[in-house]
Amino acid sequence: MLERPDLELLTSGARQLGITLDDLQLHRFSIFTRLLLEWNRQFNLTRITTPREMVIKHYLDSLSCLTVAEFPLDAKVIDVGTGAGFPGIPIEIVRPDLNLTLLDSTRKRLFFLEAALLELGLSGVSLLHGRAEEAGHDPLRREFHDIAVSRAVARLNILAEYCLPLVRYNGIAILQKGPGVDEELEEAKPAIELLGGEIEKTARITLPESDIVRSIIVI
Ligand code: SAM
């Protein structure tokens, strides 16, 4: 659960990102926190174990994706290597109109996500078990999504190979990275070009209520 100080932190942090959270959204974040804490005892889903840290390092970090690009109404979004649901679940809590797919190669994470989605009452989300590089070859998935998001899955050159085939022509990939990304970006440029991508921007974001700096690469 999220107690009042954590809810206030989430509310004010989201506001700093330009997002106003309503009661239902805050309730869903609270439920998700309880589930993460409960399941984490058994399944080692995340190393972050305090609600305050979850708010900053998981929820606000995930929501920062919404600030770097427009997410059209009902857009088809895929979260590649979602793990315990980041950044996908916080994005879906704020934008339940999105048609979100959570993709991961580890089945136990999908068990958690299945249970979480049921409790959260988020019905517009599909789960996909498998490897991103295989999904990119599936005719039903290839060039199907408007937006791919991904956090903490692989180096950028590999991540581009995972994400770009899944995105339609003129779609976007939003890749979340740590503060120092220049070297990785240089390394990834040939792969991005080969895959028909173009780097639109690299946004640097300081997470609200912290000094944590993150880079978001929009391709
Ligand atoms: N994105 C989440 C986050 O930021 O908390 C999870 C990050 S975790 C470090 C990396 C996740 O990517 C794991 O859940 C792993 O199973 C998944 N993963 C790694 N390589 C993958 C691949 N090729 N296809 C699908 N999932 C992959």
Side-chain angles (χ1 to χ4, degrees):
M1 296 301 274
L2 289 173
E3 303 295 339
R4 185 181 280 271
D6 302 317
L7 287 169
E8 285 171 359
L9 175 66
L10 179 56
T11 305
S12 70
R15 201 176 297 125
Q16 285 177 49
L17 296 172
I19 297 164
T20 305
L21 296 175
D22 63 24
D23 286 346
L24 175 60
Q25 290 163 339
L26 288 170
H27 180 60
R28 283 181 163 147
F29 276 111
S30 194
I31 292 174
F32 194 46
T33 307
R34 172 174 57 73
L35 292 169
L36 276 168
L37 291 171
E38 278 173 13
W39 280 66
N40 218 25
R41 282 185 217 124
Q42 234 184 313
F43 290 103
N44 192 22
L45 293 168
T46 169
R47 269 177 288 160
I48 292 170
T49 50
T50 68
R52 182 185 163 82
E53 266 194 306
M54 280 186 190
V55 166
I56 296 172
K57 294 184 185 168
H58 279 333
Y59 306 159
L60 296 174
D61 189 27
S62 296
L63 294 181
S64 66
C65 289
L66 292 169
T67 69
V68 297
E70 196 200 330
F71 282 60
L73 194 73
D74 298 329
K76 295 191 276 290
V77 179
I78 186 161
D79 181 0
V80 175
T82 187
F86 302 110
I89 297 256
I91 289 174
E92 184 74 15
I93 288 177
V94 170
R95 287 287 308 274
D97 60 287
L98 298 173
N99 292 297
L100 175 68
T101 300
L102 299 172
L103 165 67
D104 205 280
S105 55
T106 307
R107 204 176 277 280
K108 74 169 183 189
R109 305 224 161 88
L110 295 182
F111 285 146
F112 164 71
L113 291 170
E114 194 176 10
L117 289 170
L118 210 64
E119 275 215 43
L120 291 169
L122 291 173
S123 51
V125 183
S126 321
L127 297 175
L128 185 59
H129 176 241
R131 298 198 62 83
E133 53 274 44
E134 284 162 14
H137 284 110
D138 179 347
L140 295 175
R141 287 285 165 189
R142 192 173 176 82
E143 296 182 15
F144 175 74
H145 309 86
D146 302 299
I147 300 174
V149 292
S150 190
R151 185 183 83 157
V153 172
R155 279 182 79 80
L156 264 183
N157 55 343
I158 307 287
L159 209 47
E161 284 177 22
Y162 288 173
C163 292
L164 295 186
L166 293 166
V167 164
R168 67 163 168 78
Y169 179 71
N170 270 341
I172 55 175
I174 299 175
L175 310 178
Q176 292 189 275
K177 285 277 161 187
V181 79
D182 295 348
E183 196 188 310
E184 259 188 73
L185 209 48
E186 275 311 306
E187 180 191 46
K189 273 182 184 165
I192 292 170
E193 210 169 294
L194 201 68
L195 291 157
E198 215 172 89
I199 299 167
E200 191 183 295
K201 66 176 163 192
T202 301
R204 300 218 193 267
I205 292 186
T206 304
L207 296 183
E209 313 293 336
S210 79
D211 54 7
I212 301 166
V213 179
R214 312 272 299 154
S215 309
I216 307 182
I217 295 98
V218 181
I219 302 176

